[in-house]
Amino acid sequence: MTKVFVTRAHLYRLRNEVPFQPLLRQLGWPHKRVGAQLRFVCPVCRESQTCVNPATNLARCFRCERNWNPIDFTITVTDCEFLQAVEQLEELLPPH
């Protein structure tokens, strides 16, 4: 079994620099722009009251009050392990 080591800096980049819109598109997840806001269906409560804060790259469902970053969201939507989510998100990471 190969051990994989993911640095804190790399996780920081995945959490903060992977934009939600391409992630939602890649996952085929329902979303839309409403003015300047990006909204999508919450994978927990299935309501369309989840909105992304572009300043923090975090999303919040105002119905079930769950917070999302790209890593947590990928794990929940794809029902995958942490390292699988990291691999998926690396495709969407902008060049350094």
Side-chain angles (χ1 to χ4, degrees), residues 37-57:
Q37 290 186 333
L38 177 61
R39 294 181 179 222
F40 59 89
V41 173
C42 176
V44 172
C45 72
R46 302 290 187 200
E47 294 289 329
S48 296
Q49 297 182 25
T50 308
C51 191
V52 177
N53 180 340
T56 62
N57 200 43

Side-chain angles (χ1 to χ4, degrees), residues 27-96:
L27 297 174
W29 199 256
H31 65 284
K32 66 180 176 181
R33 282 227 170 259
V34 178
Q37 290 186 333
L38 177 61
R39 294 181 179 222
F40 59 89
V41 173
C42 176
V44 172
C45 72
R46 302 290 187 200
E47 294 289 329
S48 296
Q49 297 182 25
T50 308
C51 191
V52 177
N53 180 340
T56 62
N57 200 43
L58 296 174
R60 177 157 178 90
C61 176
F62 293 97
R63 170 84 166 125
C64 70
E65 299 184 354
R66 176 81 188 254
N67 294 317
W68 302 100
N69 66 52
I71 300 169
D72 294 334
F73 185 78
T74 301
I75 290 169
T76 301
V77 168
T78 64
D79 192 30
C80 70
E81 298 291 325
F82 175 78
L83 291 176
Q84 292 170 312
V86 167
E87 287 177 12
Q88 288 180 35
L89 290 169
E90 285 176 351
E91 298 173 17
L92 300 173
L93 196 59
H96 214 72

